[in-house]
PDB file of all heavy atoms in Angstrom:
ATOM      1  N   ALA A  41      72.455 256.971  23.257  1.00 97.00           N
ATOM      2  CA  ALA A  41      73.340 256.937  24.385  1.00 97.00           C
ATOM      3  C   ALA A  41      74.793 256.513  23.978  1.00 97.00           C
ATOM      4  O   ALA A  41      75.666 256.902  24.605  1.00 97.00           O
ATOM      5  CB  ALA A  41      72.821 255.905  25.460  1.00 97.00           C
ATOM      6  N   LEU A  42      74.847 255.827  22.931  1.00 97.00           N
ATOM      7  CA  LEU A  42      76.152 255.308  22.495  1.00 97.00           C
ATOM      8  C   LEU A  42      76.896 256.383  21.747  1.00 97.00           C
ATOM      9  O   LEU A  42      78.082 256.611  22.039  1.00 97.00           O
ATOM     10  CB  LEU A  42      75.964 254.045  21.669  1.00 97.00           C
ATOM     11  CG  LEU A  42      77.338 253.588  20.888  1.00 97.00           C
ATOM     12  CD1 LEU A  42      78.218 252.895  22.013  1.00 97.00           C
ATOM     13  CD2 LEU A  42      76.883 252.490  19.847  1.00 97.00           C
ATOM     14  N   LEU A  43      76.147 257.232  20.864  1.00 97.00           N
ATOM     15  CA  LEU A  43      76.829 258.073  20.030  1.00 97.00           C
ATOM     16  C   LEU A  43      76.752 259.506  20.369  1.00 97.00           C
ATOM     17  O   LEU A  43      77.648 260.326  19.929  1.00 97.00           O
ATOM     18  CB  LEU A  43      76.189 257.822  18.603  1.00 97.00           C
ATOM     19  CG  LEU A  43      76.142 256.637  17.964  1.00 97.00           C
ATOM     20  CD1 LEU A  43      75.616 256.555  16.568  1.00 97.00           C
ATOM     21  CD2 LEU A  43      77.603 255.942  17.871  1.00 97.00           C
ATOM     22  N   ASP A  44      75.633 259.992  20.971  1.00 97.00           N
ATOM     23  CA  ASP A  44      75.489 261.425  20.977  1.00 97.00           C
ATOM     24  C   ASP A  44      76.300 262.320  21.829  1.00 97.00           C
ATOM     25  O   ASP A  44      76.414 263.562  21.726  1.00 97.00           O
ATOM     26  CB  ASP A  44      74.026 261.664  21.341  1.00 97.00           C
ATOM     27  CG  ASP A  44      72.966 261.424  20.295  1.00 97.00           C
ATOM     28  OD1 ASP A  44      73.391 260.879  19.216  1.00 97.00           O
ATOM     29  OD2 ASP A  44      71.724 261.470  20.487  1.00 97.00           O
ATOM     30  N   SER A  45      77.134 261.719  22.725  1.00 97.00           N
ATOM     31  CA  SER A  45      78.149 262.519  23.388  1.00 97.00           C
ATOM     32  C   SER A  45      79.426 262.741  22.613  1.00 97.00           C
ATOM     33  O   SER A  45      80.346 263.476  23.062  1.00 97.00           O
ATOM     34  CB  SER A  45      78.513 261.769  24.714  1.00 97.00           C
ATOM     35  OG  SER A  45      79.147 260.521  24.518  1.00 97.00           O
ATOM     36  N   PHE A  46      79.500 262.338  21.370  1.00 98.00           N
ATOM     37  CA  PHE A  46      80.612 262.412  20.526  1.00 98.00           C
ATOM     38  C   PHE A  46      80.271 263.147  19.296  1.00 98.00           C
ATOM     39  O   PHE A  46      79.189 263.070  18.683  1.00 98.00           O
ATOM     40  CB  PHE A  46      81.304 261.100  19.993  1.00 98.00           C
ATOM     41  CG  PHE A  46      81.618 260.193  21.132  1.00 98.00           C
ATOM     42  CD1 PHE A  46      80.828 259.268  21.750  1.00 98.00           C
ATOM     43  CD2 PHE A  46      82.919 260.356  21.710  1.00 98.00           C
ATOM     44  CE1 PHE A  46      81.243 258.442  22.820  1.00 98.00           C
ATOM     45  CE2 PHE A  46      83.390 259.529  22.749  1.00 98.00           C
ATOM     46  CZ  PHE A  46      82.573 258.598  23.356  1.00 98.00           C
ATOM     47  N   GLU A  47      81.089 264.128  18.816  1.00 98.00           N
ATOM     48  CA  GLU A  47      80.856 264.777  17.585  1.00 98.00           C
ATOM     49  C   GLU A  47      81.031 263.907  16.380  1.00 98.00           C
ATOM     50  O   GLU A  47      81.956 262.969  16.399  1.00 98.00           O
ATOM     51  CB  GLU A  47      81.851 265.941  17.522  1.00 98.00           C
ATOM     52  CG  GLU A  47      81.617 267.068  18.514  1.00 98.00           C
ATOM     53  CD  GLU A  47      80.323 267.779  18.254  1.00 98.00           C
ATOM     54  OE1 GLU A  47      80.004 267.960  17.089  1.00 98.00           O
ATOM     55  OE2 GLU A  47      79.661 268.063  19.261  1.00 98.00           O
ATOM     56  N   PRO A  48      80.242 264.035  15.287  1.00 98.00           N
ATOM     57  CA  PRO A  48      80.355 263.164  14.127  1.00 98.00           C
ATOM     58  C   PRO A  48      81.672 263.576  13.470  1.00 98.00           C
ATOM     59  O   PRO A  48      82.140 264.735  13.345  1.00 98.00           O
ATOM     60  CB  PRO A  48      79.215 263.521  13.399  1.00 98.00           C
ATOM     61  CG  PRO A  48      78.828 264.983  13.733  1.00 98.00           C
ATOM     62  CD  PRO A  48      79.108 264.965  15.226  1.00 98.00           C
ATOM     63  N   GLY A  49      82.138 262.645  12.787  1.00 97.00           N
ATOM     64  CA  GLY A  49      83.455 262.800  12.006  1.00 97.00           C
ATOM     65  C   GLY A  49      83.342 263.234  10.553  1.00 97.00           C
ATOM     66  O   GLY A  49      84.420 263.242   9.927  1.00 97.00           O
ATOM     67  N   GLY A  50      82.196 263.709  10.264  1.00 97.00           N
ATOM     68  CA  GLY A  50      81.964 264.174   8.906  1.00 97.00           C
ATOM     69  C   GLY A  50      80.484 264.572   8.740  1.00 97.00           C
ATOM     70  O   GLY A  50      79.798 264.613   9.650  1.00 97.00           O
ATOM     71  N   GLU A  51      80.176 264.844   7.458  1.00 96.00           N
ATOM     72  CA  GLU A  51      78.716 265.140   7.136  1.00 96.00           C
ATOM     73  C   GLU A  51      77.897 263.915   7.569  1.00 96.00           C
ATOM     74  O   GLU A  51      78.242 262.866   7.271  1.00 96.00           O
ATOM     75  CB  GLU A  51      78.641 265.288   5.682  1.00 96.00           C
ATOM     76  CG  GLU A  51      77.179 265.349   5.133  1.00 96.00           C
ATOM     77  CD  GLU A  51      76.945 264.877   3.754  1.00 96.00           C
ATOM     78  OE1 GLU A  51      77.961 264.361   3.169  1.00 96.00           O
ATOM     79  OE2 GLU A  51      75.883 265.050   3.203  1.00 96.00           O
ATOM     80  N   VAL A  52      76.893 264.253   8.444  1.00 97.00           N
ATOM     81  CA  VAL A  52      76.030 263.144   8.944  1.00 97.00           C
ATOM     82  C   VAL A  52      75.188 262.558   7.886  1.00 97.00           C
ATOM     83  O   VAL A  52      74.540 263.132   7.041  1.00 97.00           O
ATOM     84  CB  VAL A  52      75.139 263.727  10.133  1.00 97.00           C
ATOM     85  CG1 VAL A  52      74.074 262.668  10.562  1.00 97.00           C
ATOM     86  CG2 VAL A  52      75.929 264.307  11.231  1.00 97.00           C
ATOM     87  N   ILE A  53      75.214 261.241   7.808  1.00 98.00           N
ATOM     88  CA  ILE A  53      74.371 260.398   6.964  1.00 98.00           C
ATOM     89  C   ILE A  53      73.720 259.400   7.829  1.00 98.00           C
ATOM     90  O   ILE A  53      74.243 258.598   8.490  1.00 98.00           O
ATOM     91  CB  ILE A  53      75.208 259.720   5.881  1.00 98.00           C
ATOM     92  CG1 ILE A  53      75.902 260.675   5.028  1.00 98.00           C
ATOM     93  CG2 ILE A  53      74.292 258.719   5.057  1.00 98.00           C
ATOM     94  CD1 ILE A  53      76.763 260.193   3.874  1.00 98.00           C
ATOM     95  N   HIS A  54      72.380 259.498   7.901  1.00 97.00           N
ATOM     96  CA  HIS A  54      71.627 258.600   8.721  1.00 97.00           C
ATOM     97  C   HIS A  54      71.180 257.316   7.988  1.00 97.00           C
ATOM     98  O   HIS A  54      70.511 257.350   6.944  1.00 97.00           O
ATOM     99  CB  HIS A  54      70.285 259.307   9.183  1.00 97.00           C
ATOM    100  CG  HIS A  54      70.504 260.526  10.024  1.00 97.00           C
ATOM    101  ND1 HIS A  54      70.676 260.343  11.440  1.00 97.00           N
ATOM    102  CD2 HIS A  54      70.595 261.851   9.902  1.00 97.00           C
ATOM    103  CE1 HIS A  54      70.881 261.448  11.940  1.00 97.00           C
ATOM    104  NE2 HIS A  54      70.803 262.490  11.025  1.00 97.00           N
ATOM    105  N   MET A  55      71.702 256.206   8.506  1.00 98.00           N
ATOM    106  CA  MET A  55      71.276 254.936   7.826  1.00 98.00           C
ATOM    107  C   MET A  55      70.861 253.895   8.899  1.00 98.00           C
ATOM    108  O   MET A  55      71.229 252.712   8.891  1.00 98.00           O
ATOM    109  CB  MET A  55      72.658 254.337   7.103  1.00 98.00           C
ATOM    110  CG  MET A  55      73.144 255.352   6.087  1.00 98.00           C
ATOM    111  SD  MET A  55      74.545 254.735   5.105  1.00 98.00           S
ATOM    112  CE  MET A  55      73.642 253.780   3.814  1.00 98.00           C
ATOM    113  N   THR A  56      70.053 254.330   9.867  1.00 97.00           N
ATOM    114  CA  THR A  56      69.721 253.598  10.967  1.00 97.00           C
ATOM    115  C   THR A  56      68.296 253.107  10.849  1.00 97.00           C
ATOM    116  O   THR A  56      67.944 251.896  11.123  1.00 97.00           O
ATOM    117  CB  THR A  56      69.816 254.354  12.362  1.00 97.00           C
ATOM    118  OG1 THR A  56      69.081 255.588  12.263  1.00 97.00           O
ATOM    119  CG2 THR A  56      71.294 254.630  12.605  1.00 97.00           C
ATOM    120  N   ILE A  57      67.376 254.049  10.487  1.00 93.00           N
ATOM    121  CA  ILE A  57      65.918 253.698  10.624  1.00 93.00           C
ATOM    122  C   ILE A  57      65.407 253.395   9.284  1.00 93.00           C
ATOM    123  O   ILE A  57      65.754 253.950   8.320  1.00 93.00           O
ATOM    124  CB  ILE A  57      65.176 254.920  11.083  1.00 93.00           C
ATOM    125  CG1 ILE A  57      65.563 255.462  12.526  1.00 93.00           C
ATOM    126  CG2 ILE A  57      63.643 254.687  11.198  1.00 93.00           C
ATOM    127  CD1 ILE A  57      65.069 256.628  13.035  1.00 93.00           C
TER     128      ILE A  57
END
Side-chain angles (χ1 to χ4, degrees):
L42 176 70
L43 303 183
D44 284 1
S45 60
F46 300 94
E47 291 296 318
E51 171 207 8
V52 175
I53 298 180
H54 293 279
M55 306 185 81
T56 56
I57 300 176

